Amino acid sequence: FLGSGGVPLGGDGDPVDPAPLAEGLRKLRHLAVEARIAPSQATAELVGRLYDEGNATFVLSGPWFVADRTRPIAAAPLPALEDGTDASPWLTVDAAFVSATSTQPEPATALATYLAGPEGSEIRARVGKQAVTLRSQPLTEPLQQALAAQAERAVPMPSHPDLGTWFEAQARAIRATLRGSATPDEAAEAAARWFRVLSRPAPPPSDAAPWKVAGVLGGLALAVAAARALQRQRQALRERAWDYVWILPAAGPLAVLVLAPFLVGAAVSLFVHHQGTWTFVGLHNFVQLLTSPDCPVTTPMSFPYTLAVTLLWTAANLVAHVGLGVGVALLLREPWVALRPVWRALLVLPWAIPNYITALVWKAMFHAQYGAINQLVARMSGAPFELDWFGSFATAFSANLLTNTWLGFPFMMVTALGALQAVPRELEEAAALDGATWTARFRHVVWPLLAPAMVPAILMGSVWTFNMFNVVFLVSGGEPDGATEILVSDAWRWAFSRGNRYGYASAYAVLIFGVLLVWSRAANRLAGRRIL
């Protein structure tokens, strides 16, 4: 973007001018797709591994790349672009911040001063191979000399509050261009629109007086209701006083860790955060969420679309978890299956391993060029196979679904195995003698006896799956263009990668709570007893 004539935020000109961004995207697409110089779905980990293995001739990166490398590095400034202009990367500087609330500001300041001074800079440059900013420090390493030469052609990075949003807009354009879902011009125009929506000023403040009155009246009503409930239950409270004392150690932390954050989040949902300033806007965030004025409701980043994806995600996972879990349990109870205890122990491992580790492993397996799944298909077919799993909604959703199925079916399997111990085989044998097929025996004999144990597991699994943040965030990352985000991961995006819109994300959380509250009431009615 900068090397194609774009201007940084805070500079003279339009920082989201689509023309230079489209030109930069065309050059990037030529290198990565047409000339196949760069790997598809490039990540820092993949590029580092390829370089260490000797499978990457050169890497365009910064001084941070050298940290964990095992292969020697011959550094050089970035090459000029095709039209002869110099590449213009960002130039950053060292910075140290001492908190205004620090209890020991003097030692902290002394440490920062030492690290930035001659002695600290010399150690950082010699031992850590860092590019220090102290001009008196001699440039002895080739990497440091190359970085100093590159700094002469670099653009100082602005300290603009919308810089993160600007980076995310360009990243979205890059991803759309490389996977071919948009032309460089279309991706640049979409990035400009996206940035302008997320960086616009906060809406005008709402009158807080009615809300304060409503809050006071609501608090009084709750206090009166609580007093009346205590009055009615006074005798029971006296008889069970010690019971409440014993549960207090658990109830106290639960209130601090669950109830207090929820109340704070609900309060934050009534505000808009913009460039460090909080503005009270009442129900503005909820109206924006439900009406989706910035994008059609049938497209990603709108609440109705994301809710539909979340419901599809939950339903598909439950079908896969229950179907596979019950099927494996039925198989493992058969006496003719050899080594049943070993199989049971092995099949529980996916559930026992932390899900974020499993998610990262599966993400690597889905890589277009180096993933195990594509390579296995290529070996079986005898032809090259490079499916971009995260290039379309269907394949990205399938990748998430396969990963979460691997994680979730052992729980259903263990639950079904335990319940099957109480199912007499004589009932099935009698039904078979009466001519019942296997399907009929399962439907009319086995499942009715399994249901009391399986229904609570299914209902709890629905809540876990509804909020399964790790798999969606780590496997597909919401790609393509946020199409596979679920509610909880999309709320995270609004809070931390879309302009720090904390109020909007908190409104998301409140609506998620509302959806789950409705579902819990319906689930309890469905089960005929209190489960959720």
Side-chain angles (χ1 to χ4, degrees):
F1 174 74
L2 298 175
S4 301
V7 298
L9 289 171
D12 296 330
D14 185 3
V16 289
D17 184 2
L21 179 57
E23 181 61 26
L25 292 172
R26 277 189 283 271
K27 296 173 181 176
L28 182 62
R29 179 172 176 79
H30 171 73
L31 291 174
V33 179
E34 297 166 1
R36 295 184 65 85
I37 293 177
S40 60
Q41 299 175 2
T43 63
E45 295 79 8
L46 173 64
V47 172
R49 179 168 63 84
L50 292 177
Y51 185 85
D52 287 338
E53 294 172 352
N55 294 321
T57 306
F58 65 91
V59 174
L60 302 179
S61 188
W64 53 87
F65 182 76
V66 72
D68 300 317
R69 299 285 67 81
T70 59
R71 181 183 170 198
I73 293 177
L78 292 174
L81 301 177
E82 291 181 343
D83 57 5
T85 58
D86 291 329
S88 304
W90 288 117
L91 174 65
T92 60
V93 297
D94 292 332
F97 298 90
V98 178
S99 173
T101 60
S102 173
T103 58
Q104 295 181 316
E106 292 80 7
T109 303
L111 175 62
T113 303
Y114 171 80
L115 293 175
E119 185 177 355
S121 295
E122 190 276 331
I123 296 175
R124 290 163 53 214
R126 174 173 51 83
V127 179
K129 310 299 182 184
Q130 297 182 23
V132 299
T133 55
L134 189 67
R135 288 187 175 272
S136 61
Q137 173 62 35
L139 303 175
T140 58
E141 295 288 335
L143 173 63
Q144 297 167 355
Q145 296 171 358
L147 290 171
Q150 183 64 67
E152 300 296 332
R153 315 174 191 173
V155 177
M157 180 179 288
S159 56
H160 197 281
D162 290 327
L163 190 62
T165 304
W166 194 57
F167 282 156
E168 179 62 21
Q170 295 191 35
R172 289 170 61 88
I174 290 172
R175 292 192 294 266
T177 302
L178 293 185
R179 66 170 166 262
S181 61
T183 65
D185 292 302
E186 292 171 345
E189 290 285 352
R193 290 194 304 269
W194 193 79
F195 175 80
R196 290 190 176 99
V197 167
L198 296 186
S199 61
R200 63 188 174 195
S206 299
D207 185 8
W211 289 87
K212 293 178 180 179
V213 173
V216 171
L217 294 178
L220 291 174
L222 288 175
V224 171
R228 289 180 176 177
L230 291 174
Q231 184 68 22
R232 290 193 301 268
Q233 301 294 328
R234 181 170 53 183
Q235 184 62 31
L237 289 173
R238 288 176 180 175
E239 295 174 355
R240 301 177 181 177
W242 281 105
D243 297 342
Y244 292 106
V245 171
W246 290 119
I247 67 173
L248 186 61
L254 187 66
V256 172
L257 297 176
V258 178
L259 182 60
F262 172 77
L263 294 177
V264 172
V268 170
S269 68
L270 304 177
F271 292 81
V272 164
H273 175 269
H274 183 69
Q275 298 185 6
T277 302
W278 293 90
T279 304
F280 180 82
V281 293
L283 297 178
H284 173 82
N285 289 323
F286 293 94
V287 173
Q288 293 285 109
L289 263 176
L290 297 175
T291 60
S292 186
D294 297 322
C295 55
V297 295
T298 57
T299 59
M301 291 180 60
S302 73
F303 181 84
Y305 175 92
T306 309
L307 176 60
V309 172
T310 306
L311 295 177
L312 174 63
W313 160 257
T314 304
N317 274 282
L318 286 178
V319 171
H321 292 173
V322 176
L324 187 58
V326 173
V328 173
L330 290 171
L331 182 64
L332 290 180
R333 75 165 181 163
E334 297 296 334
W336 52 265
V337 177
L339 302 175
R340 285 187 294 170
V342 176
W343 286 112
R344 290 173 182 172
L346 291 176
L347 289 172
V348 170
L349 286 178
W351 187 44
I353 297 174
N355 56 28
Y356 68 90
I357 295 177
T358 302
L360 292 174
V361 172
W362 277 86
K363 180 179 178 63
M365 292 171 60
F366 285 118
H367 192 274
Q369 286 180 270
Y370 305 101
I373 295 177
N374 281 1
Q375 292 190 13
L376 178 62
V377 174
R379 285 179 177 272
M380 294 175 62
S381 64
F385 185 80
E386 290 189 6
L387 173 64
D388 183 1
W389 283 88
F390 308 118
S392 69
F393 172 82
T395 53
F397 187 88
S398 299
N400 289 339
L401 180 61
L402 287 171
T403 304
N404 204 47
T405 299
W406 173 260
L407 284 167
F409 88 88
F411 173 73
M412 297 297 176
M413 179 196 74
V414 171
T415 304
L417 273 173
L420 285 171
Q421 305 305 315
V423 178
R425 298 300 292 263
E426 292 81 2
L427 295 178
E428 296 180 67
E429 294 171 357
L433 290 175
D434 289 338
T437 63
W438 183 91
T439 304
R441 294 198 303 272
F442 177 80
R443 179 181 177 184
H444 297 289
V445 178
V446 177
W447 180 251
L449 297 175
L450 275 180
M454 292 302 299
V455 169
I458 293 171
L459 296 180
M460 289 189 295
S462 67
V463 176
W464 296 340
T465 305
F466 191 91
N467 282 329
M468 180 50 70
F469 175 84
N470 288 352
V471 170
V472 174
F473 185 81
L474 295 175
V475 177
S476 73
E479 292 298 317
D481 292 332
T484 56
E485 297 282 9
I486 60 176
L487 290 176
V488 65
S489 65
D490 209 38
W492 187 94
R493 300 284 181 193
W494 285 110
F496 302 109
S497 66
R498 297 174 184 169
N500 295 359
R501 302 181 67 175
Y502 302 124
Y504 201 75
S506 297
Y508 243 96
V510 171
L511 291 178
I512 292 173
F513 172 79
V515 171
L516 291 178
L517 181 63
V518 172
W519 168 239
S520 66
R521 302 283 76 79
N524 290 334
R525 185 180 294 265
L526 177 67
R529 63 186 189 277
R530 186 177 180 84
I531 296 175
L532 297 176

